[in-house]
Amino acid sequence: MRYHACPGASLAAPDRWSNMGIMTNIVFTSEEISSLETDLLVVAFDDVEKLRELSQPLAADAELMQAKAEAGKCLMLPGNGVKAKRVALVGTGLDERARNRKYSLEDAVELPGTGAHRHYAAIGVRGSKAAKVALAGNYRNAHDAIQAGVGALVAAHGTNPYQTQDSDFITDLTIVVNEDVAAECEETDAANRIETLAQAMISTIDLVNRAPNDLYPQAFASKVEEVCAQLPIEVEIWDESRLAEENCGGILGVGQGSTRQPRLVTLRYNPKNAQRHVSLVGKGITFDSGGLSLKPAASMETMKSDMTGAASVLSAVVAAAKLNSQTAITAYLALAENMPSGSALRPCDVITMRNGARIEITNTDAEGRLVMADALSLAAETDTDAIVDIATLTGAQMVGLGVRVAGVMGTSEVRDQITSSAARCGEPMWAMPLPSYLRESLTSEVAQMKNSGSRWGGMLLAGVFLEEFVADKAWAHIDIAGPSFNEGSPWGANNKGATGMAVLTLVDFLQR
Ligand code: BES
Ligand code: MN
Ligand code: ZN
């Protein structure tokens, strides 16, 4: 019996993918903030004294309300003495941190570096339902201003594709910058960048928050075709029979327990005169039940988000193409649903991967590394300068780094390029090692390797498994198990549910 294996299926709720971009009018200005006519003025401030330089009446109100510039704290004020209807004062925590170096939002999002402006803008905008928004902060360059703009647009957007309303959009976004930065924003078309990057994040968030009965492998693949149709991106979809012809035993093995068949989607973006070729690989498990090594019910609750890597990769390629990136990109989305059934992969099974390696299955819940391995092999077969893969791969990532910081492994140069892009974008990522002694715990009695081993260093061990499939290529592996999905209350630029984390990092990496 096969349900919903239909090609060309469309999603149950409409998405804002195509129309969102044209809905916001973005301008940069060097005007006095007191004279901005807007529904909501968001001001990121270090302390009341510095606020006074920007606006006397605002500083007076802030003083009256005993506003502290604590990191991420937001104080809503009526627009007394200014033309804005409402004012959101968002603390940066900078003075406080300078005083005693205690843990602050800046530390959490920077680690260390720039990129916090996206978070401050989002905090001020979240929940306001304001159509006209102005942003002010100490934006040192176009990059800071872009970050703030993206944060505001993403925070305003509804996070649930089944509930989003038209009122969840900002119609007019004004960003206050000094004259030098305004000129830089003009020259570099920063408005277009804000729109493209925000759309990339919102598209990712939309896909991740979709129910798994709505977004299964073929539905995802059809969505990719639809999105890329108007862009210079070539899309190729391998169905189950093609996957068999191509010896993709990892993707087929993981997908065989589901009535919805697995897919491998390849995207190719080939600008003229490209100087380098980057390959991206995204984990696209549309639902991870664990398979026969079934997860407990509570652990399954968020497992619709196990395709975040694939969604992020798709959005990054789309954004890079829209921004005329000069890097050639080949991206692989490894799409499958991990389900238990009479046809499911069993612990004890031995499968043959794309690169010919035989893998003994010891835990069907370690499925991500299996689908990723085949896609990594395909990438490694090409003449690529670097491979970057991204996956909600291990619970151990959350044990090691918590739910806000992603782990990055791989060859040192690409790995460090990723963490530095991440810092610029306010997406916390931390470099982790791939100790070779761990490989021993994957030794199999019956095949080349087992798919799970020692529980210690589980995130690193998954990285060591993947390393077997990248040949001698320069490579980075990003584990976003925790940061991809926010189960708690919104914080910084992150809404509840899908966060879209890593999209900005990938685009930044592709463009540098
Ligand atoms: N998709 C999960 C990892 C995950 C867990 C992501 C929690 C987000 C939140 C992955 O497929 C998985 O189940 N990994 C196992 C591997 C283990 C069986 C070796 C894990 O981490 O428990
Ligand atoms: Mn799993
Ligand atoms: Zn998984």
Side-chain angles (χ1 to χ4, degrees):
M1 243 195 322
R2 273 185 199 175
Y3 303 100
H4 305 293
C6 46
S10 59
L11 303 176
D15 75 48
R16 307 297 167 132
W17 198 299
S18 15
N19 62 3
M20 182 269 161
I22 49 165
M23 293 182 72
T24 306
N25 176 34
I26 302 170
V27 296
F28 301 92
T29 177
S30 312
E31 246 178 274
E32 287 282 309
I33 65 170
S34 313
S35 58
L36 294 168
E37 287 185 37
T38 181
D39 296 335
L40 176 69
L41 168 64
V42 179
V43 185
F45 77 117
D46 299 342
D47 57 47
V48 174
E49 284 323 304
K50 283 199 198 145
L51 187 59
R52 207 179 304 282
E53 292 163 22
L54 282 176
S55 160
Q56 285 278 359
L58 278 188
D61 271 4
E63 204 152 34
L64 193 71
M65 300 296 292
Q66 300 186 331
K68 301 237 168 49
E70 265 174 82
K73 279 275 156 54
C74 180
L75 178 67
M76 276 288 186
L77 295 170
N80 290 339
V82 297
K83 293 239 172 86
K85 290 183 189 146
R86 279 187 290 170
V87 179
L89 292 180
V90 183
T92 62
L94 282 179
D95 69 327
E96 173 198 358
R97 186 170 66 141
R99 272 204 309 276
N100 56 19
R101 302 282 316 161
K102 82 173 188 215
Y103 186 84
S104 74
L105 183 75
E106 278 259 318
D107 298 311
V109 299
E110 289 202 342
L111 288 172
T114 58
H117 289 292
R118 189 167 57 89
H119 295 269
Y120 304 141
I123 289 165
V125 162
R126 180 168 294 117
S128 70
K129 296 268 173 191
K132 293 186 181 176
V133 173
L135 304 173
N138 181 21
Y139 306 136
R140 296 153 295 188
N141 47 39
H143 176 79
D144 282 359
I146 289 166
Q147 289 287 315
V150 171
L153 293 185
V154 174
H157 189 270
T159 55
N160 186 329
Y162 307 101
Q163 292 171 339
T164 299
Q165 321 228 312
D166 285 342
S167 63
D168 294 338
F169 294 94
I170 293 175
T171 58
D172 294 88
L173 184 64
T174 304
I175 304 181
V176 184
V177 287
N178 69 33
E179 271 156 28
D180 291 347
V181 176
E184 190 195 347
C185 289
E186 276 323 309
E187 268 164 42
T188 56
D189 201 0
N192 178 46
R193 228 181 140 71
I194 291 174
E195 186 176 299
T196 304
L197 293 174
Q199 209 171 343
M201 286 191 73
I202 290 168
S203 305
T204 307
I205 291 168
D206 179 279
L207 282 172
V208 174
N209 282 336
R210 259 164 213 283
N213 60 334
D214 193 3
L215 191 81
Y216 45 92
Q218 177 56 50
F220 197 144
S222 302
K223 184 73 211 172
V224 177
E225 275 189 318
E226 188 189 313
V227 168
C228 295
Q230 310 300 323
L231 292 165
I233 302 172
E234 195 187 296
V235 178
E236 185 178 344
I237 301 175
W238 287 0
D239 64 8
E240 62 273 25
S241 50
R242 182 70 191 270
L243 284 165
E245 278 165 32
E246 301 283 353
N247 304 316
C248 290
I251 298 173
L252 280 169
V254 171
Q256 76 190 33
S258 172
T259 52
R260 284 115 174 208
Q261 297 295 310
R263 298 287 183 263
L264 178 89
V265 181
T266 307
L267 295 90
R268 293 188 181 85
Y269 169 68
N270 255 317
K272 279 197 196 86
N273 311 321
Q275 295 296 306
R276 57 173 195 155
H277 174 208
V278 169
S279 301
L280 302 178
V281 176
K283 172 176 172 180
I285 299 298
T286 57
F287 183 69
D288 182 10
S289 70
L292 287 175
S293 312
L294 198 65
K295 286 182 185 295
S299 312
M300 248 183 252
E301 276 176 25
T302 58
M303 281 302 125
K304 66 177 181 185
S305 68
D306 214 16
M307 35 55 72
T308 303
S312 309
V313 165
L314 168 63
S315 298
V317 179
V318 167
K322 286 185 182 167
L323 295 170
N324 287 318
S325 167
Q326 289 309 296
T327 304
I329 310 165
T330 311
Y332 306 85
L333 315 182
L335 309 177
E337 186 178 43
N338 188 22
M339 296 290 275
S341 76
S343 64
L345 204 60
R346 306 167 264 279
C348 296
D349 279 355
V350 174
I351 62 174
T352 307
M353 310 292 283
R354 165 80 187 182
N355 74 348
R358 290 207 170 79
I359 303 295
E360 177 193 358
I361 305 302
T362 46
N363 191 323
T364 64
D365 199 11
E367 86 297 338
R369 61 199 72 184
L370 299 172
V371 301
M372 295 297 280
D374 280 348
L376 286 170
S377 294
L378 287 164
E381 286 165 22
T382 70
D383 181 22
T384 186
D385 297 314
I387 303 175
V388 177
D389 83 66
I390 177 155
T392 47
L393 205 60
T394 66
Q397 180 278 318
M398 296 152 86
V399 177
L401 289 170
V403 293
R404 295 188 182 186
V405 181
V408 190
M409 290 139 275
T411 56
S412 50
E413 204 183 334
V414 192
R415 182 197 64 204
D416 294 345
Q417 282 166 358
I418 290 289
T419 51
S420 93
S421 283
R424 268 166 61 77
C425 301
E427 296 186 325
M429 296 194 187
W430 203 250
M432 300 297 281
L434 288 176
S436 52
Y437 81 91
L438 284 175
R439 175 64 178 77
E440 205 181 292
S441 96
L442 293 173
T443 306
S444 166
E445 311 268 291
V446 299
Q448 263 105 307
M449 192 160 60
K450 302 190 291 189
N451 78 327
S452 72
S454 161
R455 61 177 281 245
W456 310 120
M459 165 173 53
L460 316 182
L461 187 62
V464 166
F465 182 94
L466 295 183
E467 195 176 18
E468 298 277 323
F469 299 89
V470 295
D472 57 353
K473 302 292 184 192
W475 159 69
H477 158 57
I478 314 174
D479 193 336
I480 51 165
S484 59
F485 200 83
N486 178 19
E487 289 189 71
S489 313
W491 66 274
N494 299 282
N495 299 330
K496 210 173 156 49
T499 60
M501 134 57 114
V503 173
L504 299 179
T505 299
L506 290 177
V507 177
D508 190 85
F509 171 81
L510 289 169
Q511 293 219 296
R512 282 210 284 166

